[in-house]
Amino acid sequence: MKTIRCKSYGPPSNLVLEEVDALKAGPGQVLVAVKACGLNFPDTLIIRGLYQIKPDLPFTPGSDIAGVVKEIGEGVNHIAVGQEVFGFVPYGGLAEEVVVPKNACFPKPPQMDFETAASFLMAYGTSFHALRDRGRLKKGETLLVLGASGGVGLAAVELGKLMGATVIAAASNNEKLELCKKYGADITLNYATMDLKSAVKELTEGKGVDVVYDPVGGSFSEAALRGTAWNGRYLVVGFAAGEIPRIPLNLPLLKGVSLVGVFWGNFAVKEPQRNTANSVQLMQWHAEGKLKPHIHKVYDLKDTPKALEEMMARRVMGKLVVTV
């Protein structure tokens, strides 16, 4: 089978397309012929050895997949050979075949095409877990989303609005903010031209925001934390800016703020029943037309390095998808 391989840590240009031996489904596994693989920011980190997960070299990146079942292993009862599915893996998705654990493989809803299905689970799964399970976002509260035009950020905007919050979307240019408005943002904030802390305070009439969703990190994190309300929740989702911020711990103390880590991948593995319940709810909302991933561009498998370079250059709004 053809696959994208990372043979040495480094930039996307290091990746190569090559053929490797076909895979087999073991007990509790599903072998999927991949039709589409959604790209996520962790893909740009794992190939540089900067992610929490560090697979042995060489390996195949890619997590969000959709395709057709080729083979099922012992103990798999909810999926049949020939069925269209979508699912997620820690890595391995940018290939013609991938082995998926049975509890991370779901029947693909008929209303989803493969590209949409491959754009869905990680972005919406992360954001829903963050807002509902970790942030306890309530109807009527105010949510600030940093990096709001990215894959997980845009999902957080859409879900926050669906959950009844007032959503402030923060991004680095007006084109990105226009997309956030289309996805339900009540207020937009260009943090390239505005002081984030002052703008948040002004927009909330001095109260601050109840929940901050931060997949960016870097220099904006402390300013956003200073803009939280009493008993606020600050969701640490990722560090797309490339810098892990150092937060003065007197700020959570003085403001009564909870700093809450969000690692959806571990949640899905350690609490599969809760994750499945979340996934069912998300798929229901999609079927009702309440959620719709924004696909920025679709690439061929051989052009995966170009796609990841686009993502690293911050030129992507919503999701990138690779078709196989």
Side-chain angles (χ1 to χ4, degrees):
M1 69 164 185
K2 291 179 181 178
T3 178
I4 292 291
R5 298 295 272 175
C6 178
K7 294 186 171 184
S8 62
Y9 291 130
S13 57
N14 281 12
L15 299 173
V16 296
L17 177 65
E18 66 178 20
E19 290 195 3
V20 300
D21 292 339
L23 303 176
K24 296 288 291 180
Q29 295 179 332
V30 181
L31 178 62
V32 178
V34 179
K35 298 298 184 183
C37 180
L39 299 183
N40 299 282
F41 195 79
D43 295 321
T44 71
L45 300 176
I46 198 170
I47 64 173
R48 292 179 287 159
L50 300 176
Y51 195 49
Q52 295 96 321
I53 299 169
K54 291 182 172 62
D56 293 335
L57 296 168
F59 70 92
T60 296
S63 297
D64 256 341
I65 64 96
V68 179
V69 176
K70 289 189 70 173
E71 182 181 293
I72 58 173
E74 182 182 350
V76 178
N77 303 311
H78 69 300
I79 297 290
V81 172
Q83 191 168 0
E84 295 181 350
V85 295
F86 67 146
F88 59 94
V89 289
Y91 51 90
L94 287 163
E96 290 182 327
E97 296 177 1
V98 66
V99 171
V100 185
K102 67 177 184 179
N103 61 4
C105 191
F106 304 93
K108 181 177 74 65
Q111 75 275 8
M112 282 187 183
D113 57 26
F114 286 115
E115 289 84 359
T116 299
S119 304
F120 197 79
L121 276 179
M122 182 166 282
Y124 287 98
T126 296
S127 294
F128 193 38
H129 169 55
L131 297 179
R132 185 170 82 165
D133 302 323
R134 306 297 287 157
R136 307 182 312 281
L137 181 67
K138 302 178 184 66
K139 184 177 181 180
E141 290 190 319
T142 302
L143 167 68
L144 170 65
V145 181
L146 305 184
S149 67
V152 293
L154 203 58
V157 169
E158 198 174 12
L159 286 167
K161 189 63 180 175
L162 187 56
M163 295 167 72
T166 297
V167 179
I168 303 173
S172 59
N173 66 52
N174 291 333
E175 182 185 5
K176 293 177 177 180
L177 292 173
E178 284 301 315
L179 179 62
C180 294
K181 288 180 184 177
K182 293 178 182 178
Y183 272 71
D186 298 285
I187 304 166
T188 58
L189 194 164
N190 186 333
Y191 47 44
T193 60
M194 304 171 71
D195 178 75
L196 182 60
K197 175 193 169 186
S198 300
V200 167
K201 286 290 189 181
E202 182 178 344
L203 290 169
T204 59
E205 299 179 345
K207 175 180 179 289
V209 297
D210 299 292
V211 177
V212 175
Y213 181 98
D214 182 8
V216 179
S219 60
F220 297 114
S221 295
E222 183 176 332
L225 178 59
R226 290 180 181 273
T228 53
W230 177 252
N231 282 335
R233 287 85 74 199
Y234 194 103
L235 302 176
V236 182
V237 183
F239 311 104
E243 176 189 346
I244 298 176
R246 297 179 180 272
I247 299 295
L249 287 181
N250 64 312
L251 294 177
L253 183 153
L254 294 171
K255 299 176 71 65
V257 171
S258 300
L259 295 177
V260 187
V262 179
F263 190 178
W264 174 74
N266 262 8
F267 166 72
V269 171
K270 294 179 181 297
E271 302 184 55
Q273 290 182 327
R274 292 181 66 194
N275 181 64
T276 297
N278 281 1
S279 299
V280 169
Q281 176 65 81
L282 290 169
M283 286 185 276
Q284 180 179 333
W285 279 335
H286 179 272
E288 294 169 354
K290 295 175 180 177
L291 299 176
K292 185 180 181 181
H294 176 77
I295 298 177
H296 182 86
K297 192 172 181 179
V298 177
Y299 287 83
D300 292 330
L301 183 63
K302 63 181 173 59
D303 295 322
T304 296
K306 294 179 184 178
L308 291 172
E309 286 165 3
E310 283 286 293
M311 183 171 284
M312 290 179 67
R314 311 288 194 272
R315 291 193 287 263
V316 176
M317 296 186 290
K319 298 286 293 185
L320 293 180
V321 178
V322 170
T323 53
V324 181

